Amino acid sequence: MSSLDLTSYGIDVDTVLRNANPARLYEEAIHLDPTAAIVDSGALTIRSGEKTGRSPADKRIVHHPESADDIWWGPINMEIDEHTFQINRERAQDYLNTRERLYVIDGFAGWAPAHRLKVRIVCSRPYHALFMHNMLIRPSAEELEAFGEPDFVIYNAGAFPANRLTEHMSSKTSVDLSFENREMVILGTEYAGEMKKGIFTVMHYLMPKRDVLSMHCSANEGDDGDVSLFFGLSGTGKTTLSADPNRKLIGDDEHCWSADGVFNIEGGCYAKAIGLSPEQEPEIYDAIRYGTVLENVVYDETTRQVDYDDTSITVNTRASYPLEYIENAKIPAVGDHPENIIFLTYDAFGVMPPVSKLTPEQAMYHFISGYTA
């Protein structure tokens, strides 16, 4: 752990902890966050505040001449102007400047060195720092020393609201992305998944420009090196199926497919915790230990046992842990070209039988048409 001068980011705070280890972040969370606790498995449990999920209706991308023609604008990719982005960034910087201490996590997105992105997170909650310590690829001491300037910066001021009267704002929550400034600003939501998905959005934009396909899928590998991909929305089974004890885990959610094969974007997993049990998902259950972040779960104040079936806070309870917490994880998290591509779906209309084998042409059609959604 070291300190870091953030004055070039418009932030002047005396105490800035850079890449603090989990033990230090545990201490900081327990001392500073009234919702933090250590449960019987050793994991850190925490509340994300009012928002317990992502806020897609509050996401904005800067409309800029350099990138405007590469973005499919509409109800999903909504625009803001550069001036509004600067207003929200200054609002985030102003809030961060009021904190007595800040946390910085420097890490990588993408296990393939040729396509790796250097990412910097600036945040005020130790839980957010520990979350991104888990979810980014953790640099070695030598890599951290030589890290230099990042390729992308996230200002997480989620405890501070956006100004509803600012142009393009739809609520007090605003998650704003500028490809030209290589920055993301988070206001009005403390849900940690916004940082994870923000980086994924950046990779979705950058990788196709390098002839690399970015994919929302999990991946694992057999003993013979055969790679399988599992596409599907949250809750369809990507994480569960990829954590097969008989196969090596490459990753549970975000991957890229290049001319050299498949690589994971992340350094960790972000598993749904609802209904989790050692009988049904032993690999994931065993990964919830010291260093893991448990979001919005309910636990017994006396025994510190987690009730994974309790949805009184949210059905979207989550666990964030490093990739290597899965016993058979493959490090580095890369693989050959996939031999099997599996679509996991919630098909409410009976379009196809429960299990269907598709031709390449059918697979392309259903993928492009969004059938996995």
Side-chain angles (χ1 to χ4, degrees), residues 46-61:
I46 203 94
R47 300 282 182 91
S48 66
E50 180 182 346
K51 296 294 183 73
T52 58
R54 290 184 289 115
S55 303
D58 298 308
K59 289 190 174 183
R60 301 290 184 272
I61 301 173

PDB file of all heavy atoms in Angstrom, residues 46-61:
ATOM      1  N   ILE A  46     -21.772  -5.858   3.892  1.00  0.00           N
ATOM      2  CA  ILE A  46     -21.942  -4.403   3.791  1.00  0.00           C
ATOM      3  C   ILE A  46     -23.260  -4.097   3.108  1.00  0.00           C
ATOM      4  O   ILE A  46     -23.788  -4.930   2.364  1.00  0.00           O
ATOM      5  CB  ILE A  46     -20.750  -3.794   2.996  1.00  0.00           C
ATOM      6  CG1 ILE A  46     -20.532  -2.317   3.314  1.00  0.00           C
ATOM      7  CG2 ILE A  46     -20.908  -4.031   1.516  1.00  0.00           C
ATOM      8  CD1 ILE A  46     -19.525  -2.068   4.378  1.00  0.00           C
ATOM      9  N   ARG A  47     -23.771  -2.908   3.327  1.00  0.00           N
ATOM     10  CA  ARG A  47     -24.963  -2.435   2.620  1.00  0.00           C
ATOM     11  C   ARG A  47     -24.549  -1.416   1.562  1.00  0.00           C
ATOM     12  O   ARG A  47     -23.707  -0.547   1.813  1.00  0.00           O
ATOM     13  CB  ARG A  47     -25.942  -1.790   3.598  1.00  0.00           C
ATOM     14  CG  ARG A  47     -26.451  -2.711   4.707  1.00  0.00           C
ATOM     15  CD  ARG A  47     -27.528  -3.650   4.216  1.00  0.00           C
ATOM     16  NE  ARG A  47     -28.036  -4.485   5.305  1.00  0.00           N
ATOM     17  CZ  ARG A  47     -29.067  -4.155   6.077  1.00  0.00           C
ATOM     18  NH1 ARG A  47     -29.710  -3.016   5.882  1.00  0.00           N
ATOM     19  NH2 ARG A  47     -29.459  -4.965   7.049  1.00  0.00           N
ATOM     20  N   SER A  48     -25.181  -1.494   0.414  1.00  0.00           N
ATOM     21  CA  SER A  48     -24.858  -0.557  -0.675  1.00  0.00           C
ATOM     22  C   SER A  48     -25.699   0.704  -0.625  1.00  0.00           C
ATOM     23  O   SER A  48     -25.535   1.587  -1.473  1.00  0.00           O
ATOM     24  CB  SER A  48     -25.034  -1.240  -2.035  1.00  0.00           C
ATOM     25  OG  SER A  48     -26.397  -1.556  -2.271  1.00  0.00           O
ATOM     26  N   GLY A  49     -26.598   0.795   0.365  1.00  0.00           N
ATOM     27  CA  GLY A  49     -27.418   1.996   0.481  1.00  0.00           C
ATOM     28  C   GLY A  49     -28.747   1.846  -0.222  1.00  0.00           C
ATOM     29  O   GLY A  49     -29.263   0.737  -0.395  1.00  0.00           O
ATOM     30  N   GLU A  50     -29.291   2.976  -0.649  1.00  0.00           N
ATOM     31  CA  GLU A  50     -30.623   2.989  -1.250  1.00  0.00           C
ATOM     32  C   GLU A  50     -30.700   2.123  -2.499  1.00  0.00           C
ATOM     33  O   GLU A  50     -31.683   1.421  -2.732  1.00  0.00           O
ATOM     34  CB  GLU A  50     -31.011   4.430  -1.583  1.00  0.00           C
ATOM     35  CG  GLU A  50     -32.378   4.579  -2.212  1.00  0.00           C
ATOM     36  CD  GLU A  50     -32.695   6.025  -2.575  1.00  0.00           C
ATOM     37  OE1 GLU A  50     -31.969   6.927  -2.108  1.00  0.00           O
ATOM     38  OE2 GLU A  50     -33.657   6.242  -3.328  1.00  0.00           O
ATOM     39  N   LYS A  51     -29.671   2.160  -3.322  1.00  0.00           N
ATOM     40  CA  LYS A  51     -29.658   1.386  -4.563  1.00  0.00           C
ATOM     41  C   LYS A  51     -29.025   0.016  -4.314  1.00  0.00           C
ATOM     42  O   LYS A  51     -27.900  -0.082  -3.848  1.00  0.00           O
ATOM     43  CB  LYS A  51     -28.888   2.133  -5.658  1.00  0.00           C
ATOM     44  CG  LYS A  51     -29.515   3.457  -6.098  1.00  0.00           C
ATOM     45  CD  LYS A  51     -30.851   3.218  -6.780  1.00  0.00           C
ATOM     46  CE  LYS A  51     -31.479   4.502  -7.295  1.00  0.00           C
ATOM     47  NZ  LYS A  51     -30.802   5.045  -8.474  1.00  0.00           N
ATOM     48  N   THR A  52     -29.765  -1.028  -4.636  1.00  0.00           N
ATOM     49  CA  THR A  52     -29.259  -2.392  -4.476  1.00  0.00           C
ATOM     50  C   THR A  52     -29.098  -3.093  -5.823  1.00  0.00           C
ATOM     51  O   THR A  52     -28.973  -4.309  -5.890  1.00  0.00           O
ATOM     52  CB  THR A  52     -30.193  -3.210  -3.574  1.00  0.00           C
ATOM     53  OG1 THR A  52     -31.509  -3.228  -4.153  1.00  0.00           O
ATOM     54  CG2 THR A  52     -30.255  -2.616  -2.175  1.00  0.00           C
ATOM     55  N   GLY A  53     -29.097  -2.324  -6.876  1.00  0.00           N
ATOM     56  CA  GLY A  53     -28.899  -2.820  -8.227  1.00  0.00           C
ATOM     57  C   GLY A  53     -28.470  -1.674  -9.118  1.00  0.00           C
ATOM     58  O   GLY A  53     -28.428  -0.512  -8.690  1.00  0.00           O
ATOM     59  N   ARG A  54     -28.150  -1.995 -10.352  1.00  0.00           N
ATOM     60  CA  ARG A  54     -27.714  -0.956 -11.286  1.00  0.00           C
ATOM     61  C   ARG A  54     -28.886  -0.077 -11.718  1.00  0.00           C
ATOM     62  O   ARG A  54     -30.045  -0.465 -11.594  1.00  0.00           O
ATOM     63  CB  ARG A  54     -27.028  -1.579 -12.498  1.00  0.00           C
ATOM     64  CG  ARG A  54     -25.677  -2.186 -12.147  1.00  0.00           C
ATOM     65  CD  ARG A  54     -24.933  -2.722 -13.350  1.00  0.00           C
ATOM     66  NE  ARG A  54     -25.544  -3.936 -13.879  1.00  0.00           N
ATOM     67  CZ  ARG A  54     -26.097  -4.047 -15.073  1.00  0.00           C
ATOM     68  NH1 ARG A  54     -26.131  -2.992 -15.886  1.00  0.00           N
ATOM     69  NH2 ARG A  54     -26.622  -5.182 -15.489  1.00  0.00           N
ATOM     70  N   SER A  55     -28.558   1.108 -12.238  1.00  0.00           N
ATOM     71  CA  SER A  55     -29.560   2.108 -12.633  1.00  0.00           C
ATOM     72  C   SER A  55     -29.419   2.419 -14.116  1.00  0.00           C
ATOM     73  O   SER A  55     -28.897   3.480 -14.496  1.00  0.00           O
ATOM     74  CB  SER A  55     -29.385   3.387 -11.801  1.00  0.00           C
ATOM     75  OG  SER A  55     -29.473   3.118 -10.426  1.00  0.00           O
ATOM     76  N   PRO A  56     -29.870   1.518 -15.006  1.00  0.00           N
ATOM     77  CA  PRO A  56     -29.657   1.716 -16.446  1.00  0.00           C
ATOM     78  C   PRO A  56     -30.322   2.962 -17.001  1.00  0.00           C
ATOM     79  O   PRO A  56     -29.830   3.545 -17.978  1.00  0.00           O
ATOM     80  CB  PRO A  56     -30.242   0.444 -17.067  1.00  0.00           C
ATOM     81  CG  PRO A  56     -31.157  -0.120 -16.033  1.00  0.00           C
ATOM     82  CD  PRO A  56     -30.562   0.248 -14.708  1.00  0.00           C
ATOM     83  N   ALA A  57     -31.421   3.407 -16.396  1.00  0.00           N
ATOM     84  CA  ALA A  57     -32.110   4.594 -16.916  1.00  0.00           C
ATOM     85  C   ALA A  57     -31.348   5.885 -16.610  1.00  0.00           C
ATOM     86  O   ALA A  57     -31.681   6.941 -17.149  1.00  0.00           O
ATOM     87  CB  ALA A  57     -33.518   4.679 -16.332  1.00  0.00           C
ATOM     88  N   ASP A  58     -30.325   5.793 -15.770  1.00  0.00           N
ATOM     89  CA  ASP A  58     -29.569   6.984 -15.369  1.00  0.00           C
ATOM     90  C   ASP A  58     -28.165   7.009 -15.945  1.00  0.00           C
ATOM     91  O   ASP A  58     -27.333   7.809 -15.518  1.00  0.00           O
ATOM     92  CB  ASP A  58     -29.491   7.054 -13.838  1.00  0.00           C
ATOM     93  CG  ASP A  58     -30.865   7.176 -13.199  1.00  0.00           C
ATOM     94  OD1 ASP A  58     -31.622   8.067 -13.613  1.00  0.00           O
ATOM     95  OD2 ASP A  58     -31.183   6.377 -12.299  1.00  0.00           O
ATOM     96  N   LYS A  59     -27.895   6.157 -16.919  1.00  0.00           N
ATOM     97  CA  LYS A  59     -26.576   6.130 -17.536  1.00  0.00           C
ATOM     98  C   LYS A  59     -26.541   7.051 -18.750  1.00  0.00           C
ATOM     99  O   LYS A  59     -27.492   7.100 -19.531  1.00  0.00           O
ATOM    100  CB  LYS A  59     -26.198   4.700 -17.938  1.00  0.00           C
ATOM    101  CG  LYS A  59     -25.886   3.805 -16.749  1.00  0.00           C
ATOM    102  CD  LYS A  59     -25.284   2.493 -17.205  1.00  0.00           C
ATOM    103  CE  LYS A  59     -24.837   1.679 -16.010  1.00  0.00           C
ATOM    104  NZ  LYS A  59     -24.168   0.424 -16.412  1.00  0.00           N
ATOM    105  N   ARG A  60     -25.427   7.753 -18.898  1.00  0.00           N
ATOM    106  CA  ARG A  60     -25.259   8.679 -20.010  1.00  0.00           C
ATOM    107  C   ARG A  60     -23.862   8.556 -20.606  1.00  0.00           C
ATOM    108  O   ARG A  60     -22.896   8.274 -19.905  1.00  0.00           O
ATOM    109  CB  ARG A  60     -25.468  10.135 -19.551  1.00  0.00           C
ATOM    110  CG  ARG A  60     -26.845  10.422 -18.936  1.00  0.00           C
ATOM    111  CD  ARG A  60     -27.946  10.386 -19.977  1.00  0.00           C
ATOM    112  NE  ARG A  60     -29.244  10.755 -19.426  1.00  0.00           N
ATOM    113  CZ  ARG A  60     -30.104   9.917 -18.859  1.00  0.00           C
ATOM    114  NH1 ARG A  60     -29.780   8.630 -18.769  1.00  0.00           N
ATOM    115  NH2 ARG A  60     -31.263  10.339 -18.387  1.00  0.00           N
ATOM    116  N   ILE A  61     -23.776   8.782 -21.918  1.00  0.00           N
ATOM    117  CA  ILE A  61     -22.501   8.796 -22.632  1.00  0.00           C
ATOM    118  C   ILE A  61     -22.341  10.152 -23.300  1.00  0.00           C
ATOM    119  O   ILE A  61     -23.299  10.674 -23.883  1.00  0.00           O
ATOM    120  CB  ILE A  61     -22.434   7.676 -23.690  1.00  0.00           C
ATOM    121  CG1 ILE A  61     -22.609   6.304 -23.033  1.00  0.00           C
ATOM    122  CG2 ILE A  61     -21.113   7.729 -24.457  1.00  0.00           C
ATOM    123  CD1 ILE A  61     -22.732   5.158 -24.029  1.00  0.00           C
TER     124      ILE A  61
END
